Each structure stands twice: as structure tokens, then as C-alpha cells.
Amino acid sequence: MHEDHTTTKPEGAWIHLEMEHELRDWTWALECSEDRLREAVAAVGNGAVQVREYLEHR
């Protein structure tokens, strides 16, 4: 069965940039570009809460 990730909200406490579907889902959920998401993870680690806070305050 094929999953449609166009409207899927990512789950979990960690953002795994090496997983293509997570990268796509998190950029959609956080409304940011892949580069911006990678910048946030590099700055604060891959915790979803920390990344979201980083993106909201920058």
C-alpha cells in the first residue's frame, strides 16, 4: 500500500534528516525549506521541540 505523505503530520520527538519521508513531512509541518530545517537541526540538534522553537524565534 502506498502512503500519501502530502498531508501527513510527522510523528515522534526526533527529526531524522537522512530519511526522505521525514525530511519531506517535517518541512511541510514546520513550513520551512529543507535548508532551513537542516540549519535548525545543526544549531539545536534533532529534537522536534527544540527545532520548532528555533524556527519560531528566528
Side-chain angles (χ1 to χ4, degrees):
M1 175 185 274
H2 176 70
E3 291 184 44
D4 178 11
H5 290 280
T6 58
T7 58
T8 302
K9 185 174 181 180
E11 297 178 13
W14 308 107
I15 298 172
H16 302 283
L17 297 178
E18 67 280 357
M19 300 177 83
E20 186 64 32
H21 70 277
E22 285 211 19
L23 183 60
R24 180 185 57 240
D25 292 350
W26 280 110
T27 55
W28 175 81
L30 296 171
E31 298 179 350
C32 68
S33 68
E34 179 180 335
D35 289 340
R36 187 82 170 114
L37 181 60
R38 289 185 184 280
E39 172 191 322
V41 170
V44 298
N46 68 335
V49 171
Q50 292 82 3
V51 168
R52 186 179 301 275
E53 289 174 354
Y54 177 89
L55 292 170
E56 289 175 353
H57 294 97
R58 297 236 173 222

